[in-house]
């Protein structure tokens, strides 16, 4: 059996940190900001569409649009799902930053 001493574990550790810094942090940061902004916008858009603003479109498919009476609940549901995405992405981003700092 080989022992895990030598330069290989250190190299893998630094390579994994480099991967996190180069790829994971920018993707997670962009997703975090986007989900936060959209979580704020979705209920507002649902409220506006419920009260008759025709510029706000809520389509599930190209041929089916959400009925105006259901726009507010649909906007709240989408906003809640995006808020959950924001919460868990934030947790993962914090874990990535803690991994980099160690």
């Amino acid at each position: 059996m080989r022992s895990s001493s030598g330069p290989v574990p250190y190299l893998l550790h630094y390579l994994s940190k480099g991967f996190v810094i180069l790829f994971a942090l920018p993707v997670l940061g962009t997703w975090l900001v986007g989900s936060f902004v959209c979580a704020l916008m979705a209920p507002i858009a649902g409220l506006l569409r419920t009260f008759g603003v025709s510029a706000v479109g809520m389509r599930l498919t190209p041929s089916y649009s959400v009925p105006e009476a259901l726009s507010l609940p649909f906007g709240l549901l989408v906003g809640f799902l995006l808020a959950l995405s924001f919460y868990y992405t934030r947790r993962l981003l914090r874990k990535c930053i803690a991994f980099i700092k160690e």
Side-chain angles (χ1 to χ4, degrees):
M1 296 291 284
R2 287 185 178 180
S3 66
S4 63
S5 62
V8 174
Y10 295 111
L11 179 64
L12 289 176
H13 186 69
Y14 285 118
L15 285 175
S16 61
K17 280 188 180 184
F19 172 78
V20 168
I21 291 171
L22 286 176
F23 298 107
L25 286 183
V27 169
L28 289 175
T30 304
W31 187 271
L32 183 77
V33 172
S35 62
F36 178 73
V37 169
C38 290
L40 293 177
M41 287 175 46
I44 295 170
L47 184 69
L48 289 174
R49 187 162 186 267
T50 300
F51 290 113
V53 177
S54 61
V56 178
M58 292 187 172
R59 295 189 175 271
L60 294 176
T61 65
S63 61
Y64 180 73
S65 183
V66 176
E68 285 187 19
L70 296 176
S71 295
L72 184 59
F74 183 73
L76 290 173
L77 177 69
V78 170
F80 175 72
L81 292 174
L82 286 166
L84 274 177
S85 171
F86 169 76
Y87 175 73
Y88 286 110
T89 304
R90 186 173 163 221
R91 283 181 57 187
L92 183 60
L93 191 60
R94 284 183 176 182
K95 287 182 182 182
C96 288
I97 290 172
F99 172 70
I100 292 170
K101 286 183 179 180
E102 71 177 27

